[in-house]
Structures are given as C-alpha cells and as structure tokens.
Amino acid sequence: MIKILPNCIGCGKCVSICPFGALSLVNGKANVNSACTLCGSCVPNCPVKALQMPPKEEEVKDLSAYKDVWVFVELVNAKGALKIRPVSLELLTKGRKLAAELGQNVCAVIIGADNGAHFAELSSYGASKIYSVQDPAYAQYNTEAYASAMVKLISKYKPAAVFYPSTYTGRDLAPRIAAEMFVGLTADCTGLSVKNGNIVQTRPAFGGNIMADIICPNHRPQMATVRPNVMPKEITAQGSMAQIIEEVVPVSPAASKVRVLKTEKDEVGEVEQLDEAQVIISGGRGLKTKENFEIINNLACVLGGAVGASRAAVDAGWKAKEHQVGQSGVTVKPKLYVACGISGALQHIVGMQDSDIIIAINKDANAPIFNYAKYGIVGDVQQILPKVLEAVKQTKK
Ligand SMILES: Cc1cc2nc3c(=O)[nH]c(=O)nc-3n(C[C@H](O)[C@H](O)[C@H](O)COP(=O)(O)OP(=O)(O)OC[C@H]3O[C@@H](n4cnc5c(N)ncnc54)[C@H](O)[C@@H]3O)c2cc1C
C-alpha cells in the first residue's frame, strides 16, 4: 500500500484522483485501504509530497536459500468433524514427486485448533515435515490471521514453492500472502512440473483457448493455487510419520478486524461441494427452462449428490456459475455423473470425463456425450427424469 507521511495536510486531492477508491480522509489526514493497487497515480499529485511508494523489493539473489515444496492443508467441516480437503492430499501427492525431482522435501502446513488429529494422514500422503500452527484462535478460517501466520512461516523457513487448493479458502488466502511477500501467484493451475529447477505452472488462459506454462525464475517462493480433481491422490508413505514442527504464531492484531459471526452454506453446498461430490446430476441446454432444472435438483437431493450444469445452462441463468462443470468451471471426479440434455462438447467433457460411471440422457442418439457414457438413454429428459426420480424414491423407501 502507498505510505502516507506525517506532513499530509488533508487537502483531499489524492482522494479524488485515486481510480480505485483506496484513499479517504480520516481525522483530517489521508488514509489508505486495501483497495490500493500501488498504481502510483496519487503520488505526483500531492502538493506536499506526503505520499510515498513502498521501496521496491530487492532482487532475490540467492535462490538456493529456498528449499522444499509446501502444501497448505485446508480443513473442512464434514458432518460435524474436521477433515482434510482431498485437494490438499492431491497436492501432497504431486508435491512429493516434484520435491523428489528437485532433491527436496514435501512439507504440509496446517493451521487450526486441533492439528494433531491430521498428522498421520498427512504423513501417509508423503509429507516428510509438517509445520503446525495450533491455537484455539485458528479454529475458524480467518483471512488476516491465516495469511499472517503463513507469511511468518514462509519468511522463517523459506520454501521454494507453496501450493494452495484452488477453493474459496485457497483463492482468498494465497493472493494476500503473495501480495505481502511481493511474489507472483499462478491461479487455478491444472498442471505442475519441474524444468531447470523451476516449477512450471500450467493453467488455461484466454478463456481456456490455450494452456499457458508460467515460471517464476527470479523470485521465491513460487506460488500457485491448484484445481481440485486434476491430480490423483495416492498414499505413498503408509505407516510413516513426518517430522512435526510446532510453531507458535500469536493471532495478529489485524485479525481482530474481522469476526466470523455465522457461516451459511449457499445452495451449492446445500447437498455437497461439487468438486468432492460422489454423485452429480448435471443439466444442460436440453432442460430448456430454469423451472425444468428443479427435477435435477430433486434427483440430486434424493441421491445425496450435487447439482452440476453445462456452461449453456449457466449462461442461460438456470444455475449459478459455481455449478458449472468443465474447462472454465469445476473439474469433477464423482462415482456417478448423470448428464441430462448435455451434448458433450469437449470443454464440458474435460471437466467430467474421469467420473467412474457416466450416464447420459439425450434425445439425439448421435450426441457426442454418448461416446463417453457407460450407459445412455435416448429420449426426452422431461419424460425420463420424472420416472427416474420416482424409481429412485421407491428404492429408497
Ligand atoms: C473457451 C471455452 C470454454 C468453455 N468452457 C465450458 C465449460 O467449462 N463447461 C461447459 O459445459 N461448456 C463450456 N464451454 C461451452 C461448450 O463449448 C458448449 O457450448 C456447452 O458445453 C454446451 O452446453 P450444452 O451441452 O448444455 O448445450 P448444447 O450443446 O446446446 O446441447 C444441448 C443438448 O441437449 C439435447 N436436448 C435438447 N432437448 C432435449 C430434451 N428435451 N431431452 C433430452 N435432450 C435434449 C440436445 O440434443 C443437445 O445434445 C466452453 C466454450 C469455450 C469456447
């Protein structure tokens, strides 16, 4: 953020100039908030030179001081108990391979109130060290507190790379850490590899039309968020126990600015998180209207699954973007994926083709979706789905 010097006269010129609304007058002085992008447009316009850009970070000269691949472990509340989000285990599995190529360790970083319960699982997925920050104050995710703890750990131990799940938490946390550490962040990666000692971070770019390989050769740590379900998870060190490094990081005073009063799940989470669902009922343009989508919701509910949608259905406003499966949506890997009125465009297929069993319902016998489906029903979804729903309800009785 821009620095306000004591000689500020509170004229307010910078307030009107700032294109991001990051400046305001507080008690007769300029005040800057987190919307500041350091664009610098205010600096030359201050009549008393009371605005200052922060000093540029020095070039990292000795990259060899940075070692090990870190994975931020995300915990979620599943039916009253905290569990590790599977994407963290996917990242550990991948991280172990990358670390082996680099001749380094893969380490898990866990922040919470009762971390010990997760050490064995993290070890079995290959973590050779676990950095644990434990305090009742960390029981609930808090952006400032978690970011501040991560920044302290990263500054102290200097990892070469840090990976975060591309989930709401990871997408919230990682950019703040990147900004505080003055390093880059590749968001929403679908692939990670090693080349010449650097991590190659692969992600779709330009609306998914190309895959971009991004490297960060001059700064450390290299940081990326990675999509769930794009990498396999594998127990690689059954029975072993990682070295546990307990760190005490008092909750930063900044964290007290935010208090979580209540957590409410939106309708996506009502049944289950899409990326972790074992059953997904997905609808496409063939559903024709938002009202017709109701039967998809009902079927998902009866089967204890989640609702997916094609981009066409999302663009039509029948489902929220969070439900979109595919290249520019969520990648899923359920046991059962039912595609209703979805043609099977490649951009949809890449997001669900690894499902164990795919069932397609489409009135066009030549629809490409049937090439990927284990079972296909040719017919009108409006007629078929009510019968399927009724049959499932009967079997549940
Ligand atoms: C860069 C890029 C990224 C994209 N990302 C994604 C993505 O992440 N996810 C995604 O889904 N798409 C994505 N798309 C869009 C994708 O190319 C397709 O346009 C989209 O998947 C089509 O959705 P759909 O199958 O619902 O619609 P359509 O292709 O229009 O298919 C509708 C299907 O419904 C069938 N049908 C119609 N009426 C009935 C009925 N009464 N009963 C049964 N069947 C019926 C039709 O036979 C047809 O097969 C992307 C495109 C681009 C260019």
Side-chain angles (χ1 to χ4, degrees), residues 126-384:
S128 46
K129 289 182 192 169
I130 298 173
Y131 293 93
S132 165
V133 179
Q134 185 170 308
D135 189 298
Y138 291 114
Q140 199 153 30
Y141 173 72
N142 174 300
T143 314
E144 285 90 348
Y146 273 51
S148 159
M150 284 296 290
V151 166
K152 289 208 171 85
L153 292 183
I154 292 170
S155 306
K156 182 170 175 185
Y157 291 101
K158 298 191 174 13
V162 188
F163 302 131
Y164 308 80
S166 197
T167 55
Y168 289 120
T169 298
R171 286 173 176 164
D172 179 62
L173 179 67
R176 185 170 287 255
I177 297 166
E180 285 195 36
M181 308 253 13
F182 276 97
V183 294
L185 173 71
T186 308
D188 231 9
C189 287
T190 53
L192 296 169
S193 55
V194 173
K195 193 174 178 187
N196 301 331
N198 292 306
I199 304 285
V200 180
Q201 305 156 7
T202 305
R203 57 150 297 158
F206 296 105
N209 288 312
I210 62 161
M211 298 304 281
D213 284 345
I214 295 162
I215 55 165
C216 179
N218 300 323
H219 291 272
R220 292 291 183 266
Q222 304 154 91
M223 301 223 303
T225 63
V226 181
R227 272 197 199 195
N229 292 320
V230 295
M231 292 162 188
K233 66 176 195 304
E234 195 186 330
I235 293 178
T236 48
Q238 183 85 58
S240 72
M241 186 45 94
Q243 179 192 353
I244 312 296
I245 299 152
E246 303 271 5
E247 279 289 324
V248 178
V249 185
V251 175
S252 74
S256 61
K257 279 196 242 160
V258 178
R259 272 195 307 136
V260 180
L261 302 178
K262 196 163 99 177
T263 307
E264 273 184 22
K265 285 193 171 184
D266 69 3
E267 54 149 344
V268 186
E270 215 168 79
V271 182
E272 220 182 320
Q273 286 286 339
L274 195 56
D275 58 19
E276 289 176 19
Q278 295 300 303
V279 174
I280 296 176
I281 315 297
S282 221
R285 204 187 327 251
L287 265 297
K288 304 250 176 356
T289 66
K290 186 173 185 165
E291 291 66 38
N292 288 345
F293 230 96
E294 205 41 44
I295 192 143
I296 301 273
N297 300 340
N298 291 341
L299 188 55
C301 192
V302 172
L303 288 169
V307 176
S310 72
R311 177 152 146 185
V314 169
D315 288 349
W318 302 340
K319 277 318 260 184
K321 168 82 179 156
E322 288 81 356
H323 292 266
Q324 185 180 314
V325 173
Q327 183 180 299
S328 46
V330 181
T331 305
V332 298
K333 220 191 259 181
K335 288 202 164 71
L336 174 66
Y337 187 88
V338 187
C340 310
I342 293 176
S343 60
L346 201 57
Q347 294 88 353
H348 188 83
I349 297 297
V350 293
M352 44 65 84
Q353 62 190 347
D354 290 332
S355 308
D356 286 353
I357 294 176
I358 297 170
I359 299 178
I361 307 173
N362 198 302
K363 69 175 186 185
D364 175 6
N366 295 315
I369 190 78
F370 288 124
N371 298 330
Y372 304 90
K374 179 155 186 172
Y375 303 103
I377 305 172
V378 179
D380 187 339
V381 277
Q382 309 301 342
Q383 290 175 8
I384 294 163

